[in-house]
């Protein structure tokens, strides 16, 4: 049986109905493109207006899913239930017989689309049997209470007593007056407290509600037991298998589950954009539902239905959705088709030779363009622009692309032409500016490394190159403003050549100016001054020091070929050389004086004094006094080697006489202070001019192997 659906046809609008829609369309076009308002108003002609229906379908399905294999099933005996089992349409399973087709046995006819599940017997497999669970008694012992009819009280867990809620099982309750503290405060800061007269200072009273901290359980009255909730104290319950009938119906049954699902689709009566369908269904109304025949498949009913092609496609979507739910164990047992109806207006005509078609929803400002004349104008202009760009005529290409964007602001081809033009301008500008700046940089590099004198060229060179490249990009910006307006091929070439030359000359001039502002000479001078200040932080020394002379000579040799001011360096070098010459003369003079002192006669103490004085005076001049130190060491060595040989017998006498404390004290008092004072003056570099040499007296009883006029240390 074919599917009968009440479908409205497309209706043509009357002029009275079309006029307000035309005004709304013109207002929309004016707001979209003000540049072409006059052209639209003069050349806009509406030829037809149609009301196009739209339908949305909802297919309600009730699916039944059955188990693949029947299984034994038991139900309470019921004569009416047994009579309602229909006769079998096939042979049930038996010995030596394969499994039956469960879909050949009926389940039940559902009247609504709701979830449901039940078991259904196979005809020919039923039998009435005595209930084995209750032994034909119709009752069974209650399992929760084990047939006793009572169970433990859940409140007291069968004890019959529970902790007292007043004293919490402690048998004491706190005194209300002192809050269990046993003392009352005066309420003032720093006030004294007194014992509570209500509880005699104990803070608690014996609990009068309980005995031993326990109360009788109110749920069970202290018995610890209560009637069973399941059997209501009877100890027995109705048998779940036979329902108290003492008999059961047993047999083979299959499990069946019913599940409702929905499938939706929608379409216009005529073909149109998808957005138009959503627009048409904004004001849809319900047109009712249709129960479909279950004897034929939905696919066949849709195929034989007399509906427009777009609606047939929408119904075929429902057919495919239904097929996706089916399986060998699942079938459709009930169908219902629900429909809602909406409509939309289609206005068509032409504007400046271009067709247009708009979809509108009456009563709203929403509008969807199927064929936009402005878009058509934009497409035509963009096509001409693309052809002009292919021929190299950028002037025409940009003009047509601009016109295309005036009709359609988002036209991809026109925007691509402008992007290509901007890219070409940027490429030419970067090429011209970069080439001029790069050539100027190369020239500047040759100038620095071949002609410019100096050691520290890297900093000024990088500064000059950075300045030149910056000027190159700035010049490129100026060229960009000119090249954007220059679309002729030869004119563009001339502008690029002149721009490159201008950038080169400007960058070269900037580089030369930079060499004067941040010159190599200034860099060398800064490094030289830094090295001198680091080595001589307190100024040039007035004393000769050979590492200083070597340092100054190396600096002079390093910066000899540069243009730095070497006058302070050379003055310091001349001073060091003069100091060196004077030091050589002083060294020779010192050596002669030491030699003269050693060759002259006199006592060792006098020579020592003279050598020490001479050593102290010339050591302040930076002279090498090693010869004097060696001479002084030789004198002391001679003294130590001479004295013991001449005074062996006397030393024994001295040892014997040394036991006297008077002699020791006199000797120490005469010698130690004088020696300490002399050494202090020599070390501090003080003048020893007024310090007369003294000779200690010879101890008594001491003899000398030499003449008696000479001291023992000479």
């Amino acid at each position: 049986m074919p599917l009968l659906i009440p479908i409205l046809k497309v209706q043509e609008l009357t002029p009275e109905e079309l006029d307000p829609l035309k005004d709304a369309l013109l207002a929309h076009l004016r707001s979209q493109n003000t540049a072409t308002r006059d052209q639209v108003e003069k050349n806009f002609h509406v030829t037809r207006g149609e009301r196009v229906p739209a339908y949305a379908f909802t297919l309600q399905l009730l699916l039944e899913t059955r188990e693949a294999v029947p299984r034994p099933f038991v139900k309470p005996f019921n004569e009416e239930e047994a009579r309602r089992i229909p006769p079998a349409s096939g042979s049930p399973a038996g010995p030596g017989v394969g499994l039956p087709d469960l879909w050949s046995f009926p389940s039940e006819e559902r009247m609504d689309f709701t979830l449901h599940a039940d078991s259904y017997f196979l005809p020919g497999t039923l039998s009435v049997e005595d209930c084995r669970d209750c032994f034909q008694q119709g009752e069974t012992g209650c399992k929760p209470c084990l047939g006793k009819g009572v169970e433990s009280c859940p409140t007291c867990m069968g004890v019959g007593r529970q902790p007292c809620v007043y004293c919490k099982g402690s048998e004491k309750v706190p005194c209300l007056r002192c809050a269990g503290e046993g003392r009352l405060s005066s309420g003032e800061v720093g006030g004294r407290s007194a014992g509570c007269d209500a509880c005699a200072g104990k803070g608690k009273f014996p609990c009068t509600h309980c005995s031993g901290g326990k109360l009788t359980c109110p749920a069970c009255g202290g018995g610890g037991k209560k009637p069973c909730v399941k059997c209501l104290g009877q100890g027995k319950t109705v048998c779940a298998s036979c329902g108290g009938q003492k008999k059961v119906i047993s047999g083979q049954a299959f499990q069946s589950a019913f599940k409702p699902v929905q499938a939706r689709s929608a379409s216009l009566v005529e073909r149109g954009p998808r957005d138009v369908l959503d627009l048409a269904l904004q004001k849809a109304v319900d047109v009712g539902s249709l129960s479909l025949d279950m004897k034929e498949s939905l696919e066949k009913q849709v195929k034989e239905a007399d509906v427009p092609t777009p609606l047939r496609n929408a119904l075929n979507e429902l057919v495919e959705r239904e097929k996706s739910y089916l399986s060998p164990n699942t079938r459709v047992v009930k169908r219902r088709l629900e429909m809602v109806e909406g409509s939309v207006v289609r206005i068509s005509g032409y504007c400046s030779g271009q067709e247009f078609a708009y979809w509108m929803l009456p009563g709203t400002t929403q509008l969807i363009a199927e064929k936009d004349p402005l878009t058509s104008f934009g497409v035509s202009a963009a096509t001409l622009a693309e052809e002009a760009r292919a021929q190299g005529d950028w002037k025409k290409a940009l003009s047509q692309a601009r016109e295309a964007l005036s009709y359609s602001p988002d036209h991809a081809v026109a925007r691509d032409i402008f992007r290509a033009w901007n890219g070409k301008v940027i490429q030419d500008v970067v090429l011209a500016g970069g080439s001029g700046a790069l050539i100027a940089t190369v020239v500047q590099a040759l100038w620095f490394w071949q002609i410019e004198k100096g050691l520290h060229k890297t900093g000024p060179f990088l500064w000059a190159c950075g300045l030149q490249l910056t000027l190159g990009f700035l010049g490129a910006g100026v060229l960009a403003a000119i090249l954007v307006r220059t679309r002729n091929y030869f004119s563009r070439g001339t502008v690029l050549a002149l721009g490159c030359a201008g950038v080169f000359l400007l960058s070269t001039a900037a580089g030369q100016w930079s060499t004067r502002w941040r010159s190599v000479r200034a860099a060398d001078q800064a490094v030289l001054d830094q090295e001198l200040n680091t080595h001589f932080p307190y100024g040039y020394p007035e004393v000769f020091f050979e590492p200083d002379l070597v340092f100054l000579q190396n600096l002079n040799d390093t910066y000899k070929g540069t243009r730095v001011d070497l006058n302070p360096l050379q003055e310091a070098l001349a001073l060091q050389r003069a100091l060196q010459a004077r030091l050589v003369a002083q060294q020779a003079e010192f050596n002669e004086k030491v030699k003269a002192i050693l060759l002259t006669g006199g006592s060792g103490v006098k020579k020592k004094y003279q050598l020490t004085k001479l050593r102290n005076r010339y050591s302040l001049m930076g002279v090498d006094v090693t010869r004097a130190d060696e001479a002084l060491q030789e004198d002391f060595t001679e003294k130590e080697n001479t004295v013991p040989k001449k005074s062996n017998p006397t030393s024994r006498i001295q040892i014997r006489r040394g036991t006297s404390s008077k002699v020791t004290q006199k000797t120490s008092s005469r010698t130690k202070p004088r020696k300490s004072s002399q050494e202090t003056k020599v070390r501090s570099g003080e003048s020893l001019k007024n310090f007369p040499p003294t000779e200690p007296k010879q101890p008594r009883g001491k003899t000398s192997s030499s003449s008696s006029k000479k001291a023992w240390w000479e």
Side-chain angles (χ1 to χ4, degrees):
M1 183 177 179
L3 186 62
L4 300 177
I5 303 177
I7 300 297
L8 296 178
K9 296 182 179 181
V10 177
Q11 299 176 358
E12 189 169 352
L13 299 178
T14 62
E16 292 78 9
E17 295 175 333
L18 190 59
D19 287 339
L21 298 177
K22 179 180 177 180
D23 295 338
L25 179 58
L26 283 173
H28 171 76
L29 294 177
R30 294 190 192 102
S31 64
Q32 291 294 318
N33 196 332
T34 57
T36 60
R37 177 181 299 175
D38 296 337
Q39 181 179 0
V40 170
E41 291 181 353
K42 294 178 181 179
N43 302 294
F44 191 81
H45 301 282
V46 176
T47 59
R48 189 176 183 182
E50 300 172 314
R51 188 182 302 276
V52 181
Y55 290 91
F57 302 102
T58 302
L59 180 61
Q60 298 280 357
L61 299 175
L62 185 63
L63 305 179
E64 181 183 2
T65 302
R66 297 186 179 184
E67 293 181 345
V69 180
R71 59 181 178 178
F73 189 74
V74 176
K75 260 188 172 184
F77 177 77
N78 190 334
E79 295 183 359
E80 184 179 356
E81 181 73 19
R83 287 195 302 267
R84 283 193 293 120
I85 298 176
S89 59
S91 301
V97 181
L99 293 175
D101 181 14
L102 297 182
W103 291 104
S104 61
F105 304 103
S107 55
E108 67 175 297
E109 182 178 356
R110 301 294 298 173
M111 302 305 296
D112 53 1
F113 293 83
T114 57
L115 286 171
H116 180 70
D118 204 347
S119 299
Y120 302 94
F121 287 104
L122 298 181
T125 63
L126 297 178
S127 62
V128 179
E129 300 177 354
D130 295 334
C131 182
R132 300 177 181 178
D133 293 338
C134 62
F135 300 100
Q136 296 86 41
Q137 298 297 322
E139 295 177 338
T140 57
C142 180
K143 293 182 179 179
C145 64
L146 301 178
K148 298 179 181 179
V150 293
E151 58 183 355
S152 297
C153 177
T155 304
C156 63
M157 304 301 293
V159 178
R161 293 169 65 82
Q162 59 181 6
C164 178
V165 295
Y166 300 98
C167 64
K168 309 301 181 183
S170 63
E171 301 184 40
K172 298 286 185 179
V173 293
C175 177
L176 297 178
R177 185 174 184 184
C178 64
E181 297 295 332
R183 301 187 68 83
L184 297 173
S185 60
S186 62
E188 298 180 358
V189 178
R192 297 182 179 181
S193 61
C196 179
D197 54 355
C199 61
K202 297 181 179 180
K204 293 183 179 181
F205 290 101
C207 181
T208 59
H209 299 279
C210 65
S211 174
K214 300 288 185 178
L215 290 175
T216 303
C217 177
C220 61
K225 303 290 183 179
K226 62 180 297 186
C228 177
V229 178
K230 181 71 174 176
C231 63
L232 301 178
Q234 300 297 323
K236 295 182 179 181
T237 59
V238 178
C239 178
S241 300
C242 65
Q245 299 295 324
K246 303 180 183 181
K247 293 183 179 181
V248 295
I249 300 175
S250 64
Q252 297 289 325
F254 59 88
Q255 182 75 20
S256 180
F258 296 89
K259 178 183 178 183
V261 295
Q262 292 182 350
R264 293 183 175 88
S265 66
S267 175
L268 294 167
V269 175
E270 288 189 356
R271 296 185 182 276
R274 181 66 184 178
D275 295 339
V276 175
L277 178 61
D278 298 335
L279 182 64
L281 294 176
Q282 286 185 8
K283 295 184 178 181
V285 295
D286 190 4
V287 295
S289 60
L290 180 64
S291 296
L292 303 183
D293 188 7
M294 296 303 303
K295 296 180 180 179
E296 291 183 355
S297 63
L298 181 60
E299 182 177 6
K300 184 178 179 181
Q301 296 181 53
V302 171
K303 187 176 181 181
E304 296 176 355
D306 183 15
V307 293
T309 301
L311 294 182
R312 190 185 303 276
N313 294 334
L315 294 174
N316 286 329
E317 291 182 12
L318 299 179
V319 173
E320 296 300 324
R321 292 286 300 277
E322 179 183 331
K323 289 181 179 180
S324 65
Y325 296 131
L326 302 181
S327 66
N329 296 332
T330 302
R331 293 185 181 182
V332 178
V333 296
K334 193 177 184 62
R335 296 189 189 99
R336 185 173 64 194
L337 185 64
E338 298 175 354
M339 297 183 297
V340 294
E341 182 184 71
S343 64
V344 67
V345 174
R346 182 177 184 269
I347 300 177
S348 58
Y350 62 90
C351 181
S352 298
Q354 300 290 339
E355 293 185 10
F356 67 84
Y358 289 95
W359 298 84
M360 303 176 61
L361 183 62
T364 66
T365 59
Q366 301 182 47
L367 185 145
I368 298 174
E370 181 180 1
K371 294 181 180 180
D372 192 351
L374 301 181
T375 304
S376 301
F377 295 152
V379 171
S380 301
T383 304
L384 295 176
E386 190 69 22
E387 293 176 357
R389 182 176 69 167
Q391 296 173 2
D393 189 357
W394 281 101
K395 183 176 182 180
K396 181 179 179 181
L398 293 174
S399 177
Q400 293 295 329
R402 189 175 292 105
E403 183 178 356
L405 290 177
S406 67
Y407 291 117
S408 180
D410 298 329
H411 200 284
V413 175
R415 289 188 175 276
D416 182 65
I417 290 175
F418 274 99
R419 281 195 296 267
W421 171 251
N422 294 333
K424 183 174 180 60
V425 170
I426 293 173
Q427 181 180 358
D428 294 342
V429 163
V430 172
L431 180 62
S435 299
L438 184 61
I439 295 173
T441 303
V442 172
V443 173
Q444 190 71 23
L446 294 176
W447 169 269
F448 265 97
W449 303 109
Q450 298 297 331
I451 300 176
E452 186 72 21
K453 294 181 180 180
L455 300 177
H456 303 86
K457 301 179 181 180
T458 303
F461 172 70
L462 293 177
W463 174 258
C465 291
L467 181 60
Q468 289 174 331
L469 293 176
T470 302
L471 290 176
F473 285 112
L474 293 177
V478 176
L479 284 176
I482 301 174
L483 289 176
V484 166
R485 296 173 174 82
T486 306
R487 301 184 180 95
N488 186 271
Y489 179 78
F490 296 102
S491 300
R492 286 176 57 80
T494 304
V495 171
L496 286 174
L498 294 177
C500 183
V503 170
F504 168 72
L505 294 176
L506 182 63
S507 300
T508 303
Q512 292 299 318
W513 172 79
S514 175
T515 57
R516 293 181 178 85
W517 183 49
R518 293 192 61 174
S519 61
V520 178
R521 176 183 178 182
D524 290 343
Q525 189 68 48
V527 176
L528 175 61
D529 294 342
Q530 182 180 2
E531 292 184 2
L532 290 175
N533 293 332
T534 302
H535 194 82
F536 303 111
Y538 305 107
Y540 297 115
E542 297 293 337
V543 179
F544 173 75
F545 185 55
E546 187 174 358
D548 293 344
L549 178 62
V550 174
F551 172 74
L552 293 173
Q553 288 176 347
N554 292 336
L555 279 184
N556 186 61
D557 295 340
T558 301
Y559 291 92
K560 186 183 297 182
T562 62
R563 296 186 297 173
V564 299
D565 184 14
L566 294 177
N567 291 329
L569 176 63
Q570 291 177 354
E571 291 177 1
L573 183 60
L575 177 62
Q576 287 294 318
R577 287 174 178 171
L579 292 175
Q580 183 185 24
R582 188 176 68 178
L583 181 63
V584 171
Q586 291 174 349
Q587 184 70 44
E589 182 182 356
F590 175 76
N591 292 336
E592 291 295 332
K593 288 183 179 182
V594 170
K595 183 177 180 181
I597 292 173
L598 294 176
L599 294 178
T600 57
S603 64
V605 173
K606 183 178 181 180
K607 290 183 179 181
K608 174 185 175 185
Y609 167 73
Q610 293 176 349
L611 289 173
T612 302
K613 180 179 178 182
L614 186 66
R615 175 187 178 279
N616 293 338
R617 184 164 62 115
Y618 278 90
S619 63
L620 298 176
M621 302 178 185
V623 176
D624 184 10
V625 295
T626 306
R627 183 69 185 88
D629 293 337
E630 293 177 353
L632 290 173
Q633 186 67 25
E634 291 175 0
D635 290 342
F636 286 127
T637 304
E638 181 180 358
K639 177 189 68 175
E640 292 174 359
N641 294 337
T642 305
V643 171
K645 292 180 181 180
K646 295 181 180 181
S647 58
N648 285 336
T650 308
S651 63
R652 288 194 296 270
I653 296 172
Q654 287 179 347
I655 293 172
R656 286 194 299 270
R657 293 185 63 183
T659 55
S660 175
S661 61
K662 295 181 178 181
V663 176
T664 304
Q665 291 177 358
K666 290 180 179 180
T667 304
S668 60
S669 62
R670 286 198 310 266
T671 58
K672 287 184 179 180
R674 185 180 299 171
K675 181 177 180 181
S676 175
S677 175
Q678 184 177 357
E679 289 180 355
T680 303
K681 290 184 179 181
V682 171
R683 290 177 183 176
S684 62
E686 296 180 357
S687 177
L688 302 178
K689 185 175 181 179
N690 299 324
F691 186 79
T694 58
E695 296 181 2
K697 296 181 179 182
Q698 185 176 3
R700 296 179 180 180
K702 183 179 178 181
T703 60
S704 175
S705 59
S706 60
S707 176
S708 61
K709 295 181 179 181
K710 296 182 178 181
W712 61 272
W713 55 78
E714 295 182 353

